[in-house]
Amino acid sequence: MIVNERETPEGLLVAVCDEDVLGETFEEGELSLTVTEEFYGGDAVDESAVIDSLAQASVANIVGTRAVELAVEAGFVDEANVLEVGATLHAQLLRMQ
């Protein structure tokens, strides 16, 4: 998986995606999701590093079947809040302080 972390005035923004979805565009009805290098590009990491990043995130955007499944398994995202966008999954995390 690929993780990109950046500090914002609102806290740590984490973008996570499966390696095979980087650069792809997914569509579902009127919804379109492009997994850009600019936003999602970062370091290739293992699952434990993804979990560590999500644990620190104030906001996270997660794309890709495995990345989203991992976020659900680790308890960061409720499965009911996962979107199917074309052939992939997408979820967002917002931690209120």
Side-chain angles (χ1 to χ4, degrees):
M1 281 174 251
I2 299 172
V3 171
N4 185 332
E5 296 181 345
R6 53 178 81 72
E7 283 294 335
T8 72
E10 292 78 28
L12 183 66
L13 169 62
V14 175
V16 179
C17 71
D18 291 350
E19 290 185 47
D20 65 338
V21 302
L22 189 62
E24 299 292 326
T25 297
F26 301 92
E27 296 182 347
E28 186 72 33
E30 294 183 17
L31 181 63
S32 178
L33 173 64
T34 300
V35 188
T36 64
E37 176 75 33
E38 179 182 27
F39 188 79
Y40 288 93
D43 299 321
V45 299
D46 63 16
E47 291 184 357
S48 65
V50 171
I51 290 170
D52 290 345
S53 288
L54 291 175
Q56 300 301 313
S58 298
V59 177
N61 287 279
I62 310 155
V63 180
T65 301
R66 183 62 200 134
V68 172
E69 286 175 349
L70 179 63
V72 170
E73 290 167 8
F76 295 110
V77 174
D78 186 324
E79 192 170 6
N81 295 321
V82 172
L83 296 176
E84 287 185 39
V85 184
T88 197
L89 300 177
H90 173 65
Q92 293 182 319
L93 165 71
L94 174 61
R95 188 168 284 121
M96 303 298 282
Q97 300 286 348

